[in-house]
Amino acid sequence: MRIGVIGTGRIGTIHANTLSRHREVGSLILTDADPARAQGLAQRLGETAAPGVDEIFRWGVDAVVITTATAAHAELIGRAARSGLPVFCEKPIALDLPGTLAALAEVETAGTVLQMGFQRRFDAGYAGAREAVRSGRLGRLHTVRAMTSDQSPPPPEWLPLSGGLFRDTLIHDFDVLRWVTGREVVDVYATGSDSGPAMFREAGDVDTGAALLTLDDGTLATATATRLNGAGYDVRMELAGERDTVVVGLDDRTPVASTEPTGPPPADKPWAGFLERFGPAYEAELCAFVDLLHGQRPNPCDGREALQALRIAEACEVSRRERRPVRLTEIQDRAQPSYG
């Protein structure tokens, strides 16, 4: 099996390393907008570098892994679908609903496979939370609290391309909220603060955001995020039910300090970022993709799942801008009629 990897930045490098070591993958063809970067990685892994995307398709591959900048995702998904190739793509499909729907329509028409990269579905903590909910251990679930806090902000030039805090960061929380609970979001109320560095205001973004989400069974969920959590990278989810409460992401590296006299000591080595925190999950999702290609498992996160997460993020953006509650049916109505 030969797989083409398009994009050899941080995530692309991780995925290429995973695939290069996988016993079921024969070889890789790597390409990047920076050909020297792809060439360097190919040399380190003993793989082949291609001068551009055209060569990936012309030289012949059995599947494609897309880890480029988000703006290129939808077009590459469509091109792979028209070539009859299965695709693994990092989130999101696109930064807007029309682009997402168009790419999904191409996949549906071609009858090909699209697995999306929501790595938290492969994290042991979130899998344990899902089991706690589905097994009935928690009883009736009444409250979920999710959070994603980056230690330091991204480069200013990247912000206008990111889609904003809700589409770029909290979309992970929205996806895993659905996956863990098995419920759908029916309405949201979101707000944000741009009182931090001026680059967020200049990009029309916020550095901190919060959303209140109502699920279809009445469960209430909150999701918060910030780009400015100096204590360290902090990703958690608390799920409280009538019988028990569980928490994801609470360990000896969680960057929190207790003010209680008998509280635990602060973490000696807090998580620095998502690549470190979710390293095993990133590897597991690519191994799942290889299993999917071999017909050994169903698709663990198809394009429709990514569409639902984007709809929630879009609803939060509308809510933030217009300062009002937004029902998900509003976003679904906007997203019709081409797909979904």
Side-chain angles (χ1 to χ4, degrees), residues 70-84:
T70 298
H73 288 184
E75 190 277 329
L76 290 170
I77 289 170
R79 184 169 182 179
R82 294 189 298 274
S83 300

Side-chain angles (χ1 to χ4, degrees), residues 310-325:
L310 180 62
R311 280 174 166 158
I312 299 169
E314 184 71 16
C316 287
E317 270 297 325
V318 173
S319 177
R320 180 183 74 86
R321 291 195 309 266
E322 300 181 5
R323 296 182 176 271
R324 65 176 179 89

Side-chain angles (χ1 to χ4, degrees), residues 137-142 240-245:
R137 169 185 164 185
L138 305 184
R140 183 187 69 86
L141 188 66
H142 55 75
E242 291 183 343
R243 295 179 184 171
D244 201 0
T245 298

Side-chain angles (χ1 to χ4, degrees), residues 163-170 205-209 225-227 317:
L165 189 67
F166 292 100
R167 296 188 191 94
D168 176 58
T169 299
L170 277 167
D205 197 4
V206 293
D207 57 73
T208 303
T226 184
R227 304 282 197 186
E317 270 297 325

Side-chain angles (χ1 to χ4, degrees), residues 57-273:
F57 292 97
R58 190 160 57 239
W59 293 355
V61 293
D62 300 297
V64 173
V65 171
I66 300 171
T67 62
T68 61
T70 298
H73 288 184
E75 190 277 329
L76 290 170
I77 289 170
R79 184 169 182 179
R82 294 189 298 274
S83 300
L85 294 173
V87 172
F88 175 93
C89 184
E90 279 299 327
K91 66 82 188 170
I93 294 173
L95 291 178
D96 59 21
L97 289 168
T100 299
L101 294 167
L104 289 176
E106 294 241 45
V107 172
E108 185 177 64
T109 298
T112 52
V113 169
L114 170 62
Q115 179 183 331
M116 295 303 300
F118 282 102
Q119 86 283 353
R120 294 187 194 182
R121 293 178 177 227
F122 297 87
D123 177 74
Y126 284 104
R130 176 183 164 98
E131 174 60 25
V133 172
R134 305 302 177 89
S135 68
R137 169 185 164 185
L138 305 184
R140 183 187 69 86
L141 188 66
H142 55 75
T143 308
V144 182
R145 306 175 188 91
M147 63 178 293
T148 297
S149 300
D150 291 330
Q151 184 175 25
S152 55
E157 62 272 15
W158 182 81
L159 287 175
L161 308 175
S162 71
L165 189 67
F166 292 100
R167 296 188 191 94
D168 176 58
T169 299
L170 277 167
I171 196 169
H172 281 289
D173 297 273
F174 301 150
D175 174 72
V176 85
L177 173 64
R178 296 180 60 249
W179 186 74
V180 167
T181 65
R183 313 305 307 192
E184 296 294 342
V185 174
V186 295
D187 60 51
V188 307
Y189 186 81
T191 188
S193 169
D194 61 3
S195 60
M199 64 182 185
F200 293 99
R201 292 186 294 279
E202 292 166 358
D205 197 4
V206 293
D207 57 73
T208 303
L212 172 64
L213 309 100
T214 304
L215 307 190
D216 58 11
D217 64 348
T219 300
L220 298 180
T222 60
T224 63
T226 184
R227 304 282 197 186
L228 302 165
N229 199 57
Y233 182 71
D234 193 2
V235 172
R236 278 178 278 147
M237 173 181 274
E238 298 176 9
L239 299 104
E242 291 183 343
R243 295 179 184 171
D244 201 0
T245 298
V246 295
V247 59
V248 179
L250 184 61
D251 58 23
D252 59 0
R253 299 192 65 181
T254 305
V256 296
S258 174
T259 60
E260 300 295 335
T262 58
D268 289 334
K269 188 181 179 184
W271 297 110

